[in-house]
Amino acid sequence: MRHNVPLLGTLIIPNKLLLSYIFDWIIIILIALVTGLFNLLTPNHRPFSLSDPTISFPYTEHEKVSTATDILVSGLAPALIIVPICLFINPYPPSEARQQDKAQIWRRKLWEWNIGWMGLALALASASFVTHGSKNLFGKPRPDLLSRCQPDLENMAKYVLGGVPSQGDGLGVLVSWGICKQPNRALLNDGFQSFPSGHGSFSFAGLTYLTLFICAKLAIAVPYSVAPPRSSSTRDKTSAVSLRPTQRYSDNSNGATSSKPQSSSSNEGILGNINDLSLPYRSPTTTNEPASPPIYLLIPSFTPIAVAIYIASTRYSDFRHHGFDIIVGCLIGILAACLSFRWFHEPIRAGRGRSWSPRSEERAFVGHRGWGEGEGEIGAFWGAHEGSSRGNDGDLESGRGTE
């Protein structure tokens, strides 16, 4: 006998479907826990030169943006911002909202809230997993490594691994990390975790996801128009307007004015006879043409990106990362945010600002013929109105609705 969980009145969520999304959350949490375990491992220690100026910067005691601050700004703040966006913005367009009751609308709002957090968590967890795993694998020295290292110059010969001394002083050779006399092993190991930037990947993962989320909910996108393919019948209906220059003249007999083409001999030029030029012309019959959103909407949507750029820049000014490390870290975060957003949400250009609907019960854990809803299943989950209205949404995956 199947047991179901009631939610918000008449909504019944099958236990199998509910467990599938709980399992999704468990996987995301496990990714985050494994990422935390990476910090307990000893990273590789790439050999370095004591005369390398790129790792000779001073150690900054007080960072402009600490790890805790980065977590609050890039993780907690987006999570808090998502809540009012989901609760106060109606997920249905006005034409559909009138067909839904309040319970139906609130069910959809709570679903958007859950998916908004799930996408954010996936972006942060996946970006951190890749970043911290790479830190341990590459073991690249930070710009302030020598300040952390406190090298044992008197016994340098014991730690030489390769290279040729520059002027007989031994400073042109590569040495192992064993030359460091730093008593704080955690501080020393952190000096070999420069690539890629953790602050860069985490901040861009969380804040880029927030930007995409805001753009979707407020329908902020570059407008575009897809022209339908022209058939032979369409071409027959297309009129051609001539670009021949005309002159106005008066008929002396009745004073009426008319137009007639100028002589072709006077229109010859480097483009040939301009009288032969004609362009296809369509009468302006469309009434719902694309239009650009107001510019002020760029402020709330791209402020998170500006904050992420600032956080990443502090890693360079605090001598924690090389420039290349920061760029790669930011790209990891952007990629994680974009993939996580599209995994759970419709394309922004679809214009609806919604997440994908829940999986069906029969495809809760194993998919066949895709992961989408089966016939009539959306109506069973959300209600008859939404189930019927989704049938006319067009091709959402390509970002186009029905013509």
Side-chain angles (χ1 to χ4, degrees), residues 64-282:
K64 296 181 179 70
V65 179
S66 64
T67 301
T69 303
D70 187 27
I71 294 175
L72 292 175
V73 173
S74 306
L76 182 61
L80 295 177
I81 294 173
I82 286 174
V83 176
I85 292 177
C86 293
L87 296 184
F88 291 105
I89 295 181
N90 195 321
Y92 296 97
S95 59
E96 292 184 32
R98 290 189 292 267
Q99 304 175 14
Q100 315 297 337
D101 54 30
K102 291 185 178 180
Q104 170 77 14
I105 294 175
W106 274 101
R107 286 196 291 266
R108 185 80 209 195
K109 287 182 176 181
L110 293 178
W111 171 253
E112 296 292 332
W113 180 1
N114 170 68
I115 292 301
W117 274 12
M118 187 176 289
L120 175 64
L122 180 61
L124 295 173
S126 58
S128 299
F129 180 85
V130 173
T131 301
H132 289 276
S134 299
K135 284 176 177 288
N136 290 335
L137 290 175
F138 290 100
K140 183 179 179 180
R142 293 184 184 271
D144 59 1
L145 175 65
L146 295 183
S147 297
R148 301 170 183 248
C149 176
Q150 301 176 9
D152 183 7
L153 298 178
E154 296 180 357
N155 300 308
M156 185 178 65
K158 295 167 49 179
Y159 306 102
V160 173
L161 297 178
V164 179
S166 56
Q167 296 178 350
D169 52 9
L171 294 180
V173 298
L174 294 176
V175 296
S176 69
W177 73 287
I179 196 174
C180 300
K181 298 188 296 182
Q182 173 61 251
N184 189 339
R185 285 299 176 182
L187 181 65
L188 180 59
N189 287 333
D190 184 65
F192 288 90
Q193 294 184 325
S194 182
F195 179 85
S197 170
H199 277 60
S201 66
F202 194 84
S203 62
F204 269 89
L207 296 174
T208 299
Y209 180 89
L210 179 60
T211 290
L212 295 174
F213 193 84
I214 293 175
C215 288
K217 294 301 182 182
L218 300 182
I220 305 173
V222 177
Y224 77 112
S225 178
V226 179
R230 296 178 60 192
S231 61
S232 58
S233 60
T234 304
R235 287 192 296 268
D236 294 340
K237 296 178 182 179
T238 303
S239 60
V241 59
S242 175
L243 295 185
R244 293 189 182 97
T246 59
Q247 65 179 7
R248 307 289 294 181
Y249 69 97
S250 175
D251 191 341
N252 293 332
S253 61
N254 53 17
T257 60
S258 62
S259 62
K260 71 176 183 178
Q262 293 178 350
S263 172
S264 61
S265 61
S266 63
N267 296 321
E268 296 286 348
I270 60 175
L271 296 180
N273 190 345
I274 197 171
N275 291 335
D276 296 333
L277 294 179
S278 63
L279 294 178
Y281 171 75
R282 292 180 182 271

Side-chain angles (χ1 to χ4, degrees), residues 289-369:
E289 297 181 353
S292 59
I295 292 181
Y296 76 87
L297 290 178
L298 295 176
I299 298 175
S301 59
F302 286 99
T303 296
I305 297 296
V307 175
I309 292 174
Y310 170 75
I311 293 175
S313 70
T314 63
R315 308 310 288 169
Y316 192 80
S317 59
D318 285 342
F319 313 125
R320 287 294 195 268
H321 292 286
H322 306 278
F324 182 72
D325 308 334
I326 298 174
I327 293 175
V328 173
C330 295
L331 291 177
I332 292 174
I334 293 173
L335 180 62
C338 293
L339 291 179
S340 299
F341 180 82
R342 284 294 286 113
W343 189 265
F344 291 109
H345 295 82
E346 296 175 358
I348 294 178
R349 282 185 169 180
R352 304 201 315 168
R354 292 198 212 168
S355 61
W356 296 118
S357 293
R359 298 186 286 265
S360 64
E361 182 181 7
E362 65 176 0
R363 302 177 187 131
F365 290 98
V366 179
H368 55 88
R369 294 183 291 110

